[in-house]
Amino acid sequence: MHGSGKSIGRRGLLALTAALAATAVAAPGASAGPSPPFRPGAPAAPAAPAGVLRSLARAAHPLRSTDPGGPTADLRALDTMVGGAAVVGLGEATHGSHEFFAMKHRVFQYLVEERGFTTFALEMSWSAGLRIDAYLQGGPGDPRRIARETLAGSPWEREEFVRLIGWMRDHNSRHPDRRVHFMGDDLGAPKLGDHLFERVLSSVGTTVPEALPRLKKLYAGLRPFDDLFAHLRKPLPEREENAARAQEALDLVAGHHEAGDEDYAWTVQHARNIAQTFAFATVDLADPASVTAAERLRDQAMADNVLWWQRRTGHRMLLSAHNGHVGYLSTHPEMYPRTQGAVLRDRLGGDYAAIGFTFAGGSFLTKDASLDGDWKPVTVPAARPGMHEHTLDRVGYRDFYVDLRTAPAEARTWLDRPRPVHDAGSTFTPDPLPTLAIGRAYDVLVHLHRVRAADTLRTPPGGGDRVGPTIRRR
């Protein structure tokens, strides 16, 4: 959940209070049976049998590179794996690794150019996504400035995403008949942005002016919504009343929607995002059950927003989020009992495919606390025996991907059992490591041998914002 300023990452709500933070690592990982906590200093667990490694080696497809550009023959096996899916979820095991971010750019570019995909969706606020998309469609600005405005404070305020935004703008300049789009599928945090309220009010004022006075009254006490964290400090009854007003506003706006009115459908969706955000903000931080309910609401809302966009536009979409949002299982099921990926699979069936990431070791970015401080690098050693990544790193390829649905039975049986994994959101807890049944969490898995921290957003010499030689300025 990101936009500008402060950010809530995956598991971020738990970090709002120390008491709740303790519950984030209290339960074992997503599994069908018990799995003991994995501690780095504990005796090594048995390594995978040789047959498992041979099976995985037969099914694996080696990667030439994680960076975009150059030949793409190594990605062609993705064609069969993706098939006709309308939405493809592409995860990340951490929120701050160069290779994950760069690979998303590479995969999206391939899917655009070879498979006709047209939308990149990101785990960020709906309103910030609208701002990026406006730039992609010819709006003013430049990639780095847009990234600073919309991604500030988030783990995606990085050079890798500047390059992605720059490539998307350049693609639209070169192919105006095959434009690509950017969407944020998340709630309005850390802020909704007053422009979202204005969009709704302006549309209603033009379309159904008789409803405008009541809508203005309902929104008057809700805007501006520029700081979720300040809002969460308000008494719970006041936040619940605000949520009721936002829902009444949505009902009012939606009640005037006529079938076939495409422009007004967007107005309803904007009002829906406002209502979703205020409903989420009724979380009682002193009640773990309420926090879990809020996270369930969030994943459901993200899935609903993706489904709305896909059905409204007909676009094929790449959905970028943490592994625990695009996959079917979470490393913390007590907090995330039903993931966005699980909702999308239930609603889309074979029209949704989930791709997860693993890595054997390296560096990534996290924070000491979800709500404070800077993103800084953390390094983890090579995966130990007993970890899923230790098995995957012995397959014989440095970097590779594999279709878990068609993997040989011996490999699938091994991967279907919960085992320790590297998993980091806004914060990282190395002891104990969480566990996950990788074989049941994703349809496809990308394994990388080594990752490094994502590149800090920089200002070029002279203060310009040009990004690479292919960006065509307007």
Side-chain angles (χ1 to χ4, degrees):
M1 181 183 302
H2 300 277
S4 60
K6 295 178 181 178
S7 60
I8 294 182
R10 187 171 173 274
R11 280 178 264 156
L13 270 180
L14 283 181
L16 288 169
T17 62
L20 290 180
T23 71
V25 294
S31 65
S35 181
F38 182 84
R39 298 183 181 277
V52 171
L53 300 178
R54 288 193 297 268
S55 295
L56 284 170
R58 290 197 302 270
H61 298 271
L63 281 169
R64 176 189 63 82
S65 173
T66 56
D67 287 325
T72 59
D74 58 325
L75 295 180
R76 288 176 186 162
L78 271 178
D79 290 353
T80 301
M81 298 179 191
V82 168
V87 180
V88 174
L90 184 56
E92 53 197 47
T94 79
H95 272 325
S97 297
H98 165 80
E99 288 75 10
F100 296 152
F101 294 169
M103 188 67 180
K104 290 178 187 235
H105 182 167
R106 186 175 188 230
V107 169
F108 182 62
Q109 185 171 338
Y110 177 80
L111 292 176
V112 168
E113 295 174 344
E114 302 295 333
R115 303 289 296 189
F117 277 58
T118 46
T119 289
F120 185 94
L122 179 62
E123 178 195 342
M124 68 179 298
S125 72
W126 173 263
S127 56
L130 294 173
R131 175 69 181 92
I132 294 176
D133 193 58
Y135 167 71
L136 298 182
Q137 307 315 314
D142 53 69
R144 189 163 283 106
R145 183 180 305 166
I146 297 301
R148 290 189 191 281
E149 289 178 3
T150 59
L151 302 174
S154 81
W156 305 298
E157 188 190 5
R158 303 287 168 239
E159 286 294 320
E160 291 84 358
F161 273 87
V162 169
R163 288 190 282 272
L164 172 63
I165 293 170
W167 177 83
M168 293 175 72
R169 167 80 173 225
D170 187 46
H171 172 89
N172 287 348
S173 297
R174 291 181 289 108
H175 304 287
D177 57 330
R178 295 188 287 113
R179 289 181 172 275
V180 293
H181 292 265
F182 196 106
M183 79 158 289
D185 73 333
D186 211 338
L187 307 177
K191 66 180 182 179
L192 280 164
D194 207 47
H195 65 93
L196 200 61
F197 291 95
E198 283 297 332
R199 285 191 184 209
V200 178
L201 290 166
S202 176
S203 176
V204 170
T206 300
T207 308
V208 280
E210 67 274 15
L212 187 59
R214 178 57 182 163
L215 185 62
K216 283 184 174 180
K217 186 174 181 180
L218 289 169
Y219 278 164
L222 305 182
R223 56 186 295 212
F225 188 87
D226 290 335
D227 190 342
L228 170 67
F229 312 103
H231 186 79
L232 289 174
R233 288 192 288 270
K234 295 180 179 179
L236 180 58
E238 180 180 348
R239 289 185 277 130
E240 291 174 336
E241 173 61 24
N242 286 339
R245 292 169 67 87
Q247 182 60 46
E248 184 180 343
L250 170 59
D251 293 340
L252 176 64
V253 173
H256 292 280
H257 182 214
E258 296 181 3
D261 188 342
E262 294 297 316
D263 290 338
Y264 197 76
W266 286 89
T267 301
V268 176
Q269 175 62 15
H270 299 331
R272 182 177 296 113
N273 189 253
I274 293 171
Q276 289 170 338
T277 301
F278 277 93
F280 175 84
T282 62
V283 59
D284 181 354
L285 297 175
D287 180 2
S290 177
V291 176
T292 298
E295 291 293 0
R296 178 189 283 271
L297 181 155
R298 181 188 171 207
D299 270 62
Q300 180 70 51
M302 289 194 292
D304 288 343
N305 292 336
V306 168
L307 291 166
W308 183 90
W309 181 287
Q310 198 283 318
R311 289 170 179 168
R312 182 64 51 182
T313 65
H315 294 180
R316 300 188 73 184
M317 304 173 64
L318 184 71
L319 169 61
S320 171
H322 193 279
N323 279 348
H325 289 308
V326 304
Y328 308 128
L329 299 175
S330 168
T331 53
H332 293 279
E334 76 288 353
M335 276 300 304
Y336 302 90
R338 191 164 186 250
T339 66
Q340 176 183 207
V343 175
L344 291 173
R345 179 177 61 179
D346 290 347
R347 300 281 291 277
L348 294 175
D351 278 341
Y352 179 71
I355 304 175
F357 268 106
T358 55
F359 69 105
S363 301
F364 48 89
L365 299 172
T366 67
K367 299 197 293 184
D368 293 331
S370 288
L371 306 185
D372 297 300
D374 297 325
W375 294 85
K376 59 185 181 181
V378 170
T379 301
V380 294
R384 292 165 49 90
M387 295 180 65
H388 271 306
E389 292 90 341
H390 181 267
T391 298
L392 295 164
D393 215 45
R394 296 170 62 213
V395 165
Y397 302 115
R398 177 181 176 86
D399 301 327
F400 65 90
Y401 60 105
V402 58
D403 192 329
L404 299 173
R405 299 162 296 187
T406 60
E410 188 172 6
R412 183 59 186 260
T413 299
W414 181 267
L415 295 176
D416 277 355
R417 180 172 179 179
R419 301 179 194 280
V421 292
H422 288 315
D423 179 82
S426 294
T427 59
F428 174 60
T429 303
D431 184 12
L433 290 174
T435 63
L436 185 70
I438 281 179
R440 294 188 286 114
Y442 317 112
D443 298 309
V444 177
L445 182 71
V446 180
H447 176 73
L448 306 180
H449 171 67
R450 194 86 179 164
V451 299
R452 66 173 177 83
D455 296 327
T456 301
L457 201 62
R458 63 181 182 273
T459 300
D465 282 297
R466 187 169 181 270
V467 184
T470 66
I471 303 304
R472 299 179 181 178
R473 304 303 299 275
R474 291 186 176 183

